[in-house]
Amino acid sequence: MAVHEFDAVIVGAGGAGLYAAMELSRQADLRVAVISKLYPTRSHTGAAQGGIGAALGNMEEDHWEWHMFDTVKGGDYLVDQDAAEILAREAIETVYDLEHLGLPFDRTPDGRIAQRRFGGHTHHFGQGPVRRACHAADRTGHMILQTLYQQCLRQNVRFFNEFQVLDLLVEDGAACGVVAWEILTGELHTFHARAVMFATGGWGRIYKVTSNAHTLTGDGAAICWRRGIPLEDMEFYQFHPTGIYRLGILMSEAARGEGAVLRNRYGERFMERYSPTLLDLAPRDIIARAMITEIREGRGIDGKDYLHLDFTHLPRQLLEEKLPDITSFARIYLGIDPATQPVPVQPTAHYAMGGIPTDVWGRVVLDEKNTVLPGLYAAGECACVSVHGANRLGTNSLVDILVFGRRAGRDMVRYLREAERVPLRHNPDSDAREQMERLLRSEGKEKVAVLRQELAENMMEYCGIFRDEAGLRKMLEILGDLRERYRRIRLDDRGRIFNQDLLEAWELGCLLDVAEATVRSALHRTESRGAHMREDYPKRDDENWLKHTLLYRKPDGTFEFRYKPVVITRFQPQARTY
């Protein structure tokens, strides 16, 4: 067993992890490691296309208070407003930091950072759309990854690429490291650290149609849940309106920000019925529900379960300059030229609003009193701070991962100036080793790929955009059956070297955990709010449900819900219309 010693270990090399690592590495005496199951520039932050929201006001009047209001209203008032204020205020400084670090933003004719419209972003507290999304064509996330990775390399951050983290080490009430599996060799490595941060991304792979990469399997959230840390607001999972039909690959909201519109089989711009003010730039939950309603009522294209995203009225030059990636996706994956033909789209599973609970410094908390677990941090999609509430606005994912990744990095510096190193227990990798050996030795007949497919198809059917009690209870039965069958899997590859079969089997265990947390939380919340649409409880219920859920899995296998109040500072809950 290899043992490595660092001051801070960060799990995940997306925007949140890299920003935190960069902040830590500015302290010359701190040894910082980043562990990633991928090469860093392949992290899923690179899939964020359209932009990062910040009220720079470069194109028209804008203010951080409007951004905060849009975030709170977009999240259907489940957003913690102290966190939303930090997000909106610090987004501005963060974007200028990125510019100074070398990120090649698009520019206005006079040289300022260019901005475009995005769904749910408004001026004067909801009066109309505003240009707030700062962008680098439709490759904004990719440019962020490249910029931060280069800065981390420059500052001597140590990277362990293609290492899969399997376990979190907690001793004497403090986080003190992780255990990881080196994919290339099959060896286990223990990373002993004074501070640990999870920035492991989301879990869209619990669904059949998703914009998420194959690697987004909820690893960090599942590991924390197994160690007794609750998961917050897991019932809120966002479906992006415009994934490529059947594939789920994203047609960024930037498309609608540049003027593309949604049409049904009759060519109608149907969002006029659902959101008369913001139309195709309404928040994602509203558009996704509208699309499914159109399809359910027989207005899908050719009577099928997709609609059209229409670019054909836009100049070809605009498509080539502002939306080069997504127009090329349409050509590559569908053989369609968006300049002359509409693109078939359907809602695609996109973003987890819940996750590992944290405070505004990224410190992981254990209960409704915000009791901190010393030394453990989380940021990015795997974390719930909560700035997205029941529905995330477009561009706020990049704001979230960067603002709170940066804050977590800065607080880890503070913590490391005070904290002593906690000794490791004897054989710290024993639990992780048992997990991998059990999977390798399993003599059943079940195939991992079959179980993953059944999980994803059933989650789409019973825990998707529309939900009800009968469907959610059915999904719990299916999850019980899948768990039983998971104990009887058999791997085709029993070797140790670059065993993808073993990796996918271990990931399936994480998918089952986060799916179960999602379904149980969705069944528990008997109201409709944001992305959580219960057809048997269609109204928002502020009297009973203006609160966060914390779901615990107890050692005896039972589950417990606790509740945390929503922080309300400036904006009282009101009817959510657009």
Side-chain angles (χ1 to χ4, degrees):
M1 177 188 71
V3 178
H4 310 270
E5 295 221 341
F6 288 93
D7 294 301
V9 168
I10 293 166
V11 184
L18 292 179
Y19 217 133
M22 185 179 69
E23 288 294 326
L24 282 156
S25 64
R26 285 174 169 158
Q27 310 296 313
D29 61 322
L30 295 182
R31 294 168 298 159
V32 183
V34 174
I35 304 171
S36 172
K37 67 199 289 188
L38 303 166
Y39 281 97
T41 50
R42 296 188 66 190
S43 299
H44 195 60
T45 296
Q49 299 164 345
I52 174 171
L56 306 186
N58 284 352
M59 310 290 282
E60 55 194 318
E61 183 183 4
D62 199 5
H63 303 279
W64 69 261
E65 292 93 339
W66 297 351
H67 188 183
M68 176 187 171
F69 170 78
D70 292 337
T71 299
V72 171
K73 181 180 176 183
D76 219 347
Y77 295 92
L78 200 75
V79 172
D80 283 338
Q81 295 185 19
D82 56 343
E85 180 167 338
I86 289 169
L87 176 135
R89 280 180 179 272
E90 297 189 10
I92 298 167
E93 179 184 330
T94 301
V95 165
Y96 286 132
D97 271 358
L98 290 171
E99 180 187 39
H100 298 157
L101 292 169
L103 195 146
F105 284 110
D106 287 2
R107 299 286 171 175
T108 64
D110 61 356
R112 293 176 293 172
I113 294 172
Q115 297 180 276
R116 60 164 59 116
R117 292 173 176 171
F118 245 74
H121 290 276
T122 70
H123 60 81
H124 296 91
F125 305 106
Q127 289 189 13
V130 68
R131 293 178 176 85
R132 186 175 291 150
C134 312
H135 54 88
D138 54 0
R139 303 175 180 123
T140 312
H142 187 61
M143 292 298 106
I144 288 171
L145 266 186
Q146 297 285 349
T147 301
L148 295 178
Y149 183 49
Q150 290 168 16
Q151 292 295 328
C152 286
L153 291 177
R154 188 172 70 90
Q155 293 173 188
N156 298 317
V157 172
R158 180 83 181 273
F159 282 88
F160 292 84
N161 301 326
E162 295 192 328
F163 278 63
Q164 172 65 56
V165 168
L166 304 176
D167 200 7
L168 166 68
L169 302 176
V170 179
E171 299 292 340
D172 298 331
C176 58
V178 296
V179 178
W181 175 60
E182 186 178 5
I183 298 172
L184 177 62
T185 65
E187 294 181 3
L188 290 181
H189 295 247
T190 296
F191 292 83
H192 188 198
R194 290 188 288 146
V196 174
M197 175 175 162
F198 276 69
T200 52
W203 42 89
R205 284 287 152 181
I206 61 174
Y207 290 105
K208 178 184 175 184
V209 178
T210 176
S211 64
N212 283 196
H214 287 276
T215 53
L216 289 189
T217 51
D219 309 348
I223 289 170
C224 288
W225 206 35
R226 293 167 184 173
R227 286 295 179 197
I229 296 164
L231 295 179
E232 180 175 347
D233 291 344
M234 291 293 285
E235 58 270 39
F236 298 106
Y237 197 92
Q238 180 175 80
F239 281 70
H240 192 291
T242 52
I244 292 178
Y245 180 49
R246 289 180 173 164
L247 301 177
I249 297 168
L250 214 58
M251 291 276 107
S252 166
E253 204 163 297
R256 285 170 280 134
E258 296 293 347
V261 298
L262 287 159
R263 299 191 188 279
N264 63 20
R265 67 182 301 181
Y266 303 112
E268 294 174 317
R269 190 179 185 184
F270 58 85
M271 283 310 299
E272 293 174 345
R273 282 196 288 277
Y274 303 95
S275 177
T277 302
L278 295 185
L279 300 168
D280 303 85
L281 288 174
R284 293 170 175 177
D285 59 324
I286 292 173
I287 299 180
R289 279 196 297 276
M291 293 174 72
I292 296 300
T293 300
E294 290 291 302
I295 291 167
R296 280 181 167 185
E297 294 177 357
R299 293 188 289 276
I301 305 300
D302 297 329
K304 297 181 180 177
D305 57 345
Y306 69 89
L307 296 155
H308 275 150
L309 183 60
D310 185 4
F311 300 77
T312 59
H313 54 290
L314 301 177
R316 183 178 289 276
Q317 183 180 357
L318 183 147
L319 300 184
E320 299 295 342
E321 293 180 357
K322 298 288 186 65
L323 306 168
D325 268 8
I326 64 169
T327 52
S328 70
F329 291 164
R331 295 186 186 110
I332 292 168
Y333 295 112
L334 300 173
I336 285 176
D337 180 0
T340 59
Q341 298 169 276
V343 179
V345 292
Q346 66 181 148
T348 180
H350 184 57
Y351 196 90
M353 269 82 72
I356 306 164
T358 75
D359 65 11
V360 296
W361 287 102
R363 300 182 297 181
V364 172
V365 300
L366 296 171
D367 55 30
E368 63 275 25
K369 297 175 183 176
N370 282 338
T371 303
V372 169
L373 175 58
L376 185 60
Y377 293 76
E381 189 176 350
C382 71
C384 181
V385 55
S386 134
V387 288
H388 307 309
N391 173 66
R392 176 177 68 77
L393 292 188
T395 78
N396 271 359
S397 64
L398 291 179
V399 187
D400 175 17
I401 66 175
L402 299 179
V403 166
F404 291 99
R406 184 173 74 157
R407 289 175 71 87
R410 291 179 176 180
D411 198 74
M412 290 170 83
V413 172
R414 177 203 59 77
Y415 177 78
L416 290 170
R417 297 298 176 212
E418 304 167 355
E420 299 291 331
R421 185 176 296 274
V422 177
L424 292 174
R425 67 174 184 267
H426 181 60
N427 289 333
D429 64 342
S430 57
D431 290 347
R433 187 176 300 281
E434 192 279 333
Q435 291 177 43
M436 303 306 267
E437 292 298 331
R438 181 183 60 78
L439 292 170
L440 280 170
R441 290 195 309 266
S442 181
E443 294 290 346
K445 295 182 178 178
E446 298 287 351
K447 294 294 184 184
V448 171
V450 172
L451 299 187
R452 284 181 75 147
Q453 182 177 356
E454 289 186 25
L455 170 67
E457 289 177 349
N458 283 293
M459 283 295 290
M460 206 80 187
E461 174 73 20
Y462 298 115
C463 193
I465 293 175
F466 289 97
R467 306 159 170 188
D468 62 22
E469 179 174 345
L472 293 167
R473 291 197 180 282
K474 173 72 173 174
M475 191 62 223
L476 281 182
E477 292 177 10
I478 293 169
L479 280 167
D481 177 62
L482 290 171
R483 282 192 180 283
E484 182 59 33
R485 292 164 62 193
Y486 182 56
R487 298 186 183 96
R488 303 194 303 271
I489 61 169
R490 181 182 179 85
L491 304 186
D492 294 326
D493 184 351
R494 303 295 185 101
R496 304 276 175 177
I497 308 299
F498 220 96
N499 189 338
Q500 289 291 309
D501 209 15
L502 177 57
L503 176 59
E504 291 192 10
W506 185 84
E507 288 174 335
L508 174 58
C510 296
L511 286 168
L512 290 169
D513 278 356
V514 291
E516 176 140 23
T518 302
V519 175
R520 288 191 180 278
S521 300
L523 180 61
H524 191 69
R525 183 176 284 272
T526 52
E527 66 158 354
S528 290
R529 184 186 296 269
H532 175 63
M533 179 66 203
R534 283 283 300 260
E535 292 189 275
D536 46 352
Y537 296 94
K539 301 291 186 185
R540 194 178 83 189
D541 180 2
D542 285 345
E543 183 176 348
N544 295 300
W545 286 106
L546 188 60
K547 56 189 178 186
H548 301 291
T549 55
L550 296 172
L551 176 59
Y552 295 80
R553 187 168 71 180
K554 300 164 78 172
D556 62 1
T558 60
F559 299 89
E560 178 187 1
F561 278 100
R562 296 186 196 170
Y563 307 100
K564 199 162 70 167
V566 175
V567 177
I568 296 174
T569 57
R570 289 172 176 254
F571 304 111
Q572 291 300 312
Q574 55 186 272
R576 183 167 171 256
T577 57
Y578 288 92

